[in-house]
């Protein structure tokens, strides 16, 4: 069975066309754009209902059973029982560690998207696959980061999809990616001696390609503050899969 | 304080045998002289305070381990009347908590990022010796806590701030505060210590546009501030929130500037700083009117207060004070000191300079004597007089200054009671009043030196300007109030 049929109940997978985007910190400054192969991405973030089904079937990922090295004490902390998330159930699940998010996607026969995949899809506005030079759109995505935390997390899929057909890349929750600590914690970076300087002050701007893309800045800062066992009330995830050859 | 000791020592040297003079260092020795050995005794939990308060002086002769627990909270807070903003705070307020330690102390710092927060945060304390000032060691995701330890090697007053990318936005949202590292012998004792910190804010809406105002990145990049504020909000240091002191006391202000962009020209209207520890350094400059406070910098100013009244704290880049909110107040209570300052006197030069106006006033006086004065003549004369005596506070537009000087334009308080308004001009007004829904608690001096005609003209002008509409005030009405009321005791006129 095709993977995207398996998740049809949870939310359709969207076929993402291959393309390229401009990462904030390119691996090689001489090659500003990074190519991304076609793949499949959940149209919406994984919901509380989805995750409840997962922990019901996989007891070792229930709150009382999960080892501390795989999830910190905030894991599903707002749930009233091992498989009972708070309402409304069609909002993104948060309070999940990277390990748990990964396990969920594996359970579904999928995986977490890579940072490149996630960032590539996140550059699309409603009517353009690459809105990264659209000042009005950039300002709109940035606004969420400055909005009150009490605004809370809404239901998934309530806003218009972007040009890929994907919802909620901005404005609902932060999302885990497979290589969330790629940018600042890669071995090469650390050995290069700049790992620390990227984590404070404006030094991060020195090697950035587009210093006006503040929303991306904040996503990278956010990801680099994390460890795999961390959970936060504002961070969820969605799953991806390789495009099967016909 | 060291230069004072030095001066005393020099003085003493002229009058007494040199053997009696203890050597006084010209230098504190900087960080190299900042280690007084390992901490003594149990760790101390630091007492942290919200502005404008400062923790009490440290009463310790030995270094200690001081534990600082600081929680980052993102919350919506008012920055002006009816205007809200999403602040990112160190400890729930802007500016962040004031931290006070002693030089040589070992500071064990715990940074907690509240689980409901949206952003990761860290802290760069300018008092830290080490890369990033602690930022690299304190980078903390929501719902987590990080810990690092530093020894406070340099004495002085220092800014701290969040240094998470994009740094400018974290600072623009209020993430700054101050840490004082006392010299080992402590600071010279004073009667009052206060914590004042300036910051610039950038909102999508215009100044005082109501509602929840989002951060405007473009304005921030252009350094085009919407608000310039002391202690995070308009009104945080005015009215009931004004700083307090008594005549004869010495006041010390710890003045910081979080930025993110603007340099402050800090000034207290009507005072001269007896001592400024320029840039927060160790040796004071004396007799300073206005001092620069760098963005990401701090200073310490001290002054004795001799004359009662209200002293207005401003950024003397003055449009910021009157058009962007950079206003605070220090209220000094106590007996008048007329030898130092006489109080408000009518300055004949004001009228003398206004030649045309003098003619108008003379014409009105003549017409009045003949019993033919018109409302228009009275208004014209009143306008001239208003420019000389009243507009300094109430402004030529009658709008006053929000939170400091009440408006006369469209003023419900003014128009409600004609006799009361005559009495206020004659006898002044002290204490809380509510004008058009806003509270004011300031001091208006008595204007009894003006004659009955002049007060009648001014009030007739005020009652028929800027949207006000009322009948004329006559000299007889003023005379009646004057004869039945007294100027308050201690008034200058």
């Amino acid at each position: 069975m095709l993977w995207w049929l398996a998740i049809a109940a949870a939310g359709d997978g969207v076929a993402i066309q291959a393309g390229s985007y401009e990462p904030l910190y390119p691996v090689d400054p001489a090659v500003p754009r990074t190519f991304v192969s076609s793949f499949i991405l959940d149209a919406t973030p994984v919901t509380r209902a989805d995750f409840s089904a997962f922990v019901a079937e996989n007891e070792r990922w229930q709150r009382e059973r999960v080892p501390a090295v795989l999830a910190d004490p905030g894991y599903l902390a707002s749930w009233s029982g091992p498989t009972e998330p708070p309402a409304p159930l069609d909002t993104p699940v948060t309070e999940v560690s990277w390990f748990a998010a990964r396990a969920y996607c594996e359970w579904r026969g999928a995986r977490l998207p890579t940072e490149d995949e996630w960032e590539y899809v996140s550059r699309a506005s409603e009517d353009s696959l690459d809105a990264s030079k659209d000042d009005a759109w950039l300002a709109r995505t940035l606004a969420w980061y400055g909005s009150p935390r009490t605004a809370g997390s809404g239901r998934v899929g309530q806003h218009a999809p972007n040009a890929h057909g994907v919802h909620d890349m901005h404005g609902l929750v932060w999302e885990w990616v497979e290589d969330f600590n790629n940018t600042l914690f890669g071995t090469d970076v650390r050995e290069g001696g700049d790992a620390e300087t990227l984590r404070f002050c404006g030094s991060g701007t020195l090697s950035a390609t587009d210093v006006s893309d503040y929303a991306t800045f904040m996503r990278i800062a956010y990801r680099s503050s994390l460890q795999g066992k961390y959970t936060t009330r504002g961070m969820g995830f969605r799953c991806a899969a390789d495009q099967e050859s016909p | 304080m060291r230069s004072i000791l030095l001066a005393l020592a020099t003085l003493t040297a002229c009058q007494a045998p040199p053997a009696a003079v203890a050597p006084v260092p010209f230098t504190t020795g900087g960080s190299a002289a900042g280690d007084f050995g390992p901490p003594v005794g149990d760790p101390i939990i630091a007492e942290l305070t919200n502005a404008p308060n400062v923790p009490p002086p440290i009463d310790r002769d030995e270094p200690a381990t001081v534990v600082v627990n600081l929680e980052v909270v993102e919350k919506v807070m008012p920055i002006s009347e009816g205007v809200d903003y999403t602040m990112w705070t160190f400890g729930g307020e802007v500016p962040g908590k004031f931290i006070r330690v002693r030089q040589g102390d070992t500071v064990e710092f715990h940074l907690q990022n509240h689980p409901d927060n949206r952003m990761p945060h860290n802290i760069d304390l300018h008092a830290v010796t080490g890369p990033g000032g602690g930022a690299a060691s304190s980078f903390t995701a929501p719902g987590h806590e990080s810990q690092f330890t530093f020894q406070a090697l340099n004495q002085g007053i220092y800014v701290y701030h969040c240094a998470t990318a994009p740094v400018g936005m974290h600072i623009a949202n209020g993430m700054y505060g101050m840490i004082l590292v006392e010299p080992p012998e402590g600071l010279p004792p004073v009667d009052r210590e206060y914590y004042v910190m300036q910051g610039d804010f950038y909102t999508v809406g215009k100044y005082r546009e109501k509602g929840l105002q989002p951060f405007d990145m473009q304005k921030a990049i252009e350094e085009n501030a919407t608000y310039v504020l002391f202690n995070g909000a308009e009104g945080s240091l005015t009215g009931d929130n004004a700083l307090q002191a008594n005549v004869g006391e010495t006041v010390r202000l710890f003045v910081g500037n979080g930025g993110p962009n603007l340099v402050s020209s800090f000034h207290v209207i009507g005072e001269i700083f007896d001592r400024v520890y320029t840039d927060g350094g160790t040796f004071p400059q004396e007799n300073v009117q206005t001092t620069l406070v760098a963005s990401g910098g701090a200073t310490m100013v001290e002054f004795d207060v001799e004359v009662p009244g209200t002293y207005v704290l401003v950024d003397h880049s003055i449009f910021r004070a009157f058009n962007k909110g950079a206003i605070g107040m220090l209220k000094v209570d106590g007996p008048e000191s007329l030898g130092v300052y006489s109080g408000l006197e009518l300055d004949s030069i004001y009228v003398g300079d206004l030649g045309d106006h003098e003619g108008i006033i003379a014409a009105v006086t003549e017409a009045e004597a003949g019993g033919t004065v018109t409302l228009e003549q009275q208004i014209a004369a009143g306008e001239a007089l208003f420019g000389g005596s009243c507009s300094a506070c109430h402004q030529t537009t009658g709008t006053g200054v929000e939170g400091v000087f009440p408006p006369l334009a469209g003023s419900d308080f003014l128009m409600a009671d004609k006799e009361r308004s005559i009495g206020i001009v004659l006898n002044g007004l002290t204490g809380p009043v509510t004008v058009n829904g806003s509270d004011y608690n300031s001091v208006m001096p008595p204007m009894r030196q003006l004659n009955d005609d002049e007060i009648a003209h001014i009030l007739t002008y005020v009652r028929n300007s800027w949207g006000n509409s009322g009948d004329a005030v006559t000299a007889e009405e003023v005379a009646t109030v004057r004869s039945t009321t007294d100027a308050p005791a201690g008034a200058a006129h």
Side-chain angles (χ1 to χ4, degrees):
Chain A
M1 181 165 51
L2 288 177
W3 163 77
W4 57 268
L5 283 179
I7 63 151
D12 293 329
V14 174
I16 307 295
Q17 298 168 23
S20 69
Y21 82 110
E22 212 173 274
L24 204 54
Y25 297 99
V27 175
D28 177 359
V31 187
R33 293 191 79 84
T34 294
F35 183 78
V36 178
S37 305
S38 60
F39 67 107
I40 295 174
L41 185 67
D42 285 0
T44 55
V46 173
T47 65
R48 291 170 177 172
D50 299 335
F51 204 77
S52 173
F54 164 68
V55 295
E57 204 171 297
N58 298 272
E59 289 187 3
R60 72 192 188 93
W61 285 105
Q62 291 177 3
R63 191 174 59 195
E64 287 74 14
R65 294 172 185 245
V66 71
V69 293
L70 298 183
D72 71 20
Y75 180 67
L76 306 181
S78 67
W79 289 32
S80 54
T83 60
E84 287 88 46
L89 296 181
D90 56 351
T91 56
V93 66
T94 61
E95 305 173 320
V96 289
S97 68
W98 176 76
F99 293 107
R102 243 173 151 237
Y104 172 90
C105 291
E106 278 171 19
W107 171 69
R108 259 184 27 188
R111 59 174 172 80
L112 285 171
T114 65
E115 184 175 42
D116 279 335
E117 288 170 341
W118 200 100
E119 289 294 326
Y120 166 59
V121 174
S122 78
R123 297 295 195 276
S125 65
E126 287 86 345
D127 46 29
S128 166
L129 287 177
D130 185 358
S132 61
K133 306 297 181 213
D134 177 345
D135 288 342
W137 180 80
L138 284 174
R140 197 147 51 87
T141 59
L142 182 63
W144 178 70
Y145 299 92
S147 66
R149 60 178 185 167
T150 47
S153 168
R155 294 176 158 83
V156 301
Q158 297 300 298
H159 295 100
N162 71 13
H164 290 286
V166 173
H167 297 265
D168 305 327
M169 295 300 280
H170 306 283
L172 263 193
V173 286
W174 303 95
E175 294 184 19
W176 284 109
V177 293
E178 172 68 18
D179 47 348
F180 66 93
N181 52 12
N182 175 55
T183 302
L184 304 182
F185 287 82
T187 309
D188 52 339
V189 177
R190 181 162 292 191
E191 287 175 352
D194 278 328
E196 297 297 302
T197 55
L198 281 170
R199 296 161 72 183
F200 58 86
C201 276
S203 52
T205 62
L206 294 177
S207 54
T209 54
D210 182 358
V211 294
S212 65
D213 190 355
Y214 289 95
T216 306
F217 248 137
M218 276 188 274
R219 282 196 300 275
I220 289 174
Y222 191 90
R223 287 177 197 137
S224 59
S225 76
L226 301 168
Q227 296 175 20
K229 68 177 179 181
Y230 278 18
T231 71
T232 83
R233 291 182 193 170
M235 185 150 198
F237 68 101
R238 72 179 77 207
C239 301
D242 296 337
Q243 180 83 282
E244 290 194 13
S245 15
Chain B
M1 75 234 77
R2 289 185 185 275
S3 69
I4 296 167
L5 293 175
L6 199 63
L8 282 173
T10 314
L11 196 65
T12 316
C14 299
Q15 298 164 343
V21 180
V24 176
F26 284 85
T27 169
T28 60
S31 56
D35 184 356
F36 307 118
V40 176
D42 292 333
I44 298 165
I45 307 291
E47 178 186 344
L48 309 178
T49 57
N50 289 324
N53 297 314
V54 177
I58 290 168
D59 185 18
R60 245 191 302 122
D61 297 326
E62 289 169 317
T65 296
V66 179
V67 179
V68 175
N69 291 298
L70 194 56
E71 183 189 37
V72 176
V73 184
E74 300 167 4
K75 61 196 277 202
V76 173
M77 301 172 77
I79 59 170
S80 184
E81 199 173 304
V83 186
D84 287 332
Y85 188 78
T86 304
M87 292 285 197
W88 299 347
T89 73
F90 283 111
E93 300 277 335
V94 177
K97 301 274 188 188
F98 196 104
I99 306 166
R100 189 167 195 156
V101 301
R102 181 178 182 268
Q103 188 181 15
D105 279 351
T106 296
V107 182
E108 183 186 302
F109 209 100
H110 297 255
L111 189 72
Q112 294 129 4
N113 194 353
H114 192 280
D116 282 338
N117 288 349
R118 185 166 280 167
M119 308 298 297
H121 299 287
N122 62 8
I123 191 167
D124 169 356
L125 298 117
H126 291 179
V128 169
T129 303
S137 312
S138 60
F139 195 37
T140 310
H144 293 82
E145 172 179 332
S146 53
Q147 178 186 335
F148 65 100
T149 301
F150 68 96
Q151 190 175 17
L153 291 178
N154 292 84
Q155 59 179 267
I157 178 76
Y158 297 94
V159 166
Y160 66 76
H161 63 90
C162 183
T164 300
V167 185
M169 183 173 177
H170 283 255
I171 292 176
N173 286 347
M175 297 200 74
Y176 42 76
M178 286 206 279
I179 175 170
L180 172 66
V181 182
E182 280 195 16
E185 72 277 16
L187 294 172
V190 293
D191 301 295
R192 307 271 178 169
E193 289 186 329
Y194 289 116
Y195 170 17
V196 177
M197 196 157 189
Q198 181 171 323
D200 27 302
F201 292 84
Y202 303 84
T203 63
V204 171
K206 290 193 172 91
Y207 175 64
R208 290 204 179 150
E209 194 170 316
K210 305 290 186 208
L212 178 63
Q213 287 295 333
F215 169 69
D216 189 320
M217 181 65 87
Q218 196 54 40
K219 281 187 188 170
I221 292 168
E222 290 162 5
E223 306 192 8
N224 175 22
T226 324
Y227 293 84
V228 179
L229 302 173
F230 293 131
N231 291 356
E234 282 202 283
S236 62
L237 287 176
T238 60
D240 290 342
N241 301 323
L243 306 177
Q244 305 281 341
N246 295 317
V247 166
E249 290 184 333
T250 302
V251 177
R252 172 182 293 143
L253 303 180
F254 298 100
V255 185
N257 186 1
N261 289 320
L262 302 180
V263 170
S264 176
S265 301
F266 186 71
H267 177 78
V268 177
I269 298 173
E271 259 299 341
I272 296 147
F273 303 136
D274 295 322
R275 287 168 298 283
V276 173
Y277 296 79
T278 311
D279 299 334
T282 306
F283 301 106
Q285 178 64 275
E286 294 190 336
N287 308 315
V288 174
Q289 58 192 308
T290 301
T291 191
L292 283 173
V293 189
S295 175
T299 190
M300 195 167 86
V301 302
E302 295 169 356
F303 49 94
D304 297 339
V305 286
E306 287 89 0
V307 178
T310 299
Y311 296 82
V312 179
L313 285 59
V314 295
D315 179 341
H316 214 298
S317 301
I318 206 70
F319 275 104
R320 300 177 190 168
F322 293 103
N323 299 75
K324 298 188 174 187
I327 279 195
M329 287 162 69
L330 168 68
K331 285 191 180 170
V332 177
D333 290 326
E336 288 285 354
S337 181
L338 299 182
V340 178
Y341 184 67
S342 70
L344 187 67
E345 296 171 324
L346 179 64
D347 189 337
S348 60
I349 291 172
Y350 270 121
V351 181
D353 275 346
L354 305 170
D356 288 338
H357 294 156
E358 220 175 15
I360 293 168
I361 295 163
V364 175
T365 309
E366 200 172 304
E368 210 164 37
T372 60
V373 67
T374 65
L375 184 68
E376 288 67 31
Q377 281 179 311
Q378 267 201 290
I379 290 172
E383 182 174 12
L385 290 160
F386 184 88
S389 298
C390 317
S391 65
C393 297
H394 293 293
Q395 311 295 305
T396 53
T397 52
T399 51
V401 174
E402 177 84 18
V404 185
F405 305 124
L408 301 173
S411 164
D412 54 0
F413 184 84
L414 169 80
M415 298 306 287
D417 187 336
K418 180 158 116 177
E419 192 177 314
R420 177 176 67 184
S421 64
I422 295 169
I424 289 171
V425 176
L426 279 167
N427 303 319
L429 180 66
T430 303
V433 291
T434 301
V435 182
N436 296 346
S438 294
D439 292 330
Y440 295 86
N441 190 358
S442 196
V443 177
M444 170 166 163
M447 297 288 171
R448 230 175 164 80
Q449 76 279 7
L450 299 172
N451 67 33
D452 294 345
D453 284 331
E454 289 167 336
I455 291 177
H457 299 335
I458 289 170
L459 281 170
T460 302
Y461 165 66
V462 164
R463 288 166 56 82
N464 289 281
S465 301
W466 320 299
N468 298 336
S469 179
D471 58 351
V473 175
T474 66
E476 289 71 32
E477 286 172 314
V478 178
T480 304
V481 177
R482 190 191 293 270
S483 64
T484 54
T485 60
D486 291 317
H493 299 281

